[in-house]
Amino acid sequence: MLNVFTLDNGRLKGGLFQQEIETAEDLAQSRPVWVDLESPSAEEKGWIRDRFGLTIPEDIVDEDLEESARFYEEDNGELHIRSDFLIDDDGQARNVRVAFILFNNVLFSIHNEDLPVFRLLRLRARRIPALIEDAKDVLLKLYDADAEYSADVLEGIYDKLEAVSARVLKSNVTDAEAGEVLAAIAREEDLNGRIRRNVMDTRRAVSFMMRSRMLNAEQFEESRQILRDIDSLDSHTAFLFDKINFLMDATVGFININQNKIIKIFSVASVALLPPTLIASIYGMNFKNMPELESDWGYPFALVLMLLSVAAPFIYFRRKGWLK
């Protein structure tokens, strides 16, 4: 899918004018500031090459691309930036690689699926007509929206961890509940880690744009503000990691307590059964001079003695509170 976004007198038409390109003639008639390619076909890449003189590499969104090749500038002025953007849909959090090419004041974005950040920027541009002035503004606003999207997801993580905390810190947490809590904590930890990676990648991209001296004074200041926002997000992710570790340790601690209760019951039972075992062993020796062997009440006497020897330790342990 190929979409173009055009400028009109320094602002996007009608807030945001989006045109889906279906033919090469449609593309030839447009004067875009941003060309967005979602899973582009070879034919659509050919249209871009013929219209703008730009060749899009086949592996441009390859996940195995070397880190050193993610930010660079070609001799013909092409500026290449590859960034990861977060998607958190239906509990399936993932980072999606997006390739940006800035060439002749036109921004080209190539990705394999639609992204929440891109939808957010389109919505903002409709509400604020003067939001975008050139292609570099589009790129900066995307990174700004990415930081805000990450912040929103972090708030969601905090709310979910608060719900988990209420379950963990209540009394009598069962092993089944502890298992559910651990699974929930693991999901939030994974999402928090993805956000950390996402904002780190955004920081690198914005820093590269600042070092390349491609930004005007206003855009440079906006970049600095984005970096400050990212720094605050870094601090928040670190706080959430600490909270996750605390909840994880607390949950594992409750599991250990439940296991210790079971072990304690077995230990008490083992100790309580030692005296009757000793009594049975004594009367099982069958010595000739044992007076109880010839007595009619010897057998019931031994049984009563063993029952008393079992009851006595349990009564003692209960008074000590060791059975709770």
Side-chain angles (χ1 to χ4, degrees), residues 32-165:
V33 67
W34 177 21
V35 179
D36 185 43
L37 299 96
E38 180 181 340
S39 299
S41 63
E43 182 183 22
E44 290 172 337
K45 291 181 179 179
W47 296 348
I48 296 296
R49 182 182 62 251
D50 296 339
R51 169 67 174 82
F52 299 99
L54 176 68
T55 301
I56 300 176
E58 291 295 329
D59 62 345
I60 193 166
V61 290
D62 193 347
E63 293 291 338
D64 297 328
L65 196 68
E66 292 292 335
E67 292 297 319
S68 59
R70 295 184 66 179
F71 312 98
Y72 64 92
E73 186 173 1
E74 296 280 10
D75 294 336
N76 63 353
E78 294 179 17
L79 192 69
H80 289 252
I81 299 176
R82 292 170 175 84
S83 296
D84 293 330
F85 286 80
L86 179 70
I87 296 181
D88 180 29
D89 290 337
D90 301 326
Q92 298 294 325
R94 59 197 182 277
N95 293 93
V96 176
R97 178 68 52 83
V98 179
F100 295 107
I101 303 176
L102 191 60
F103 182 58
N104 290 338
N105 296 320
V106 179
L107 177 67
F108 300 86
S109 57
I110 304 97
H111 48 97
N112 292 328
E113 54 184 307
D114 193 21
L115 297 163
V117 170
F118 284 52
R119 296 194 296 268
L120 179 60
L121 177 61
R122 295 195 292 264
L123 179 62
R124 282 183 174 178
R126 291 191 187 99
R127 294 177 176 177
I128 310 174
L131 182 69
I132 306 294
E133 295 184 357
D134 58 20
K136 292 175 287 186
D137 266 345
V138 175
L139 189 53
L140 279 178
K141 293 299 188 296
L142 282 172
Y143 286 129
D144 185 31
D146 185 42
E148 183 172 341
Y149 179 76
S150 298
D152 292 340
V153 177
L154 281 176
E155 290 181 4
I157 293 176
Y158 185 83
D159 292 339
K160 292 178 182 177
L161 289 179
E162 283 293 298
V164 169
S165 178

Side-chain angles (χ1 to χ4, degrees), residues 276 279 283 297-310:
I279 295 172
Y283 286 104
W297 48 264
Y299 177 64
F301 171 77
L303 291 180
V304 172
L305 188 60
M306 284 190 286
L307 290 175
L308 292 176
S309 65
V310 171

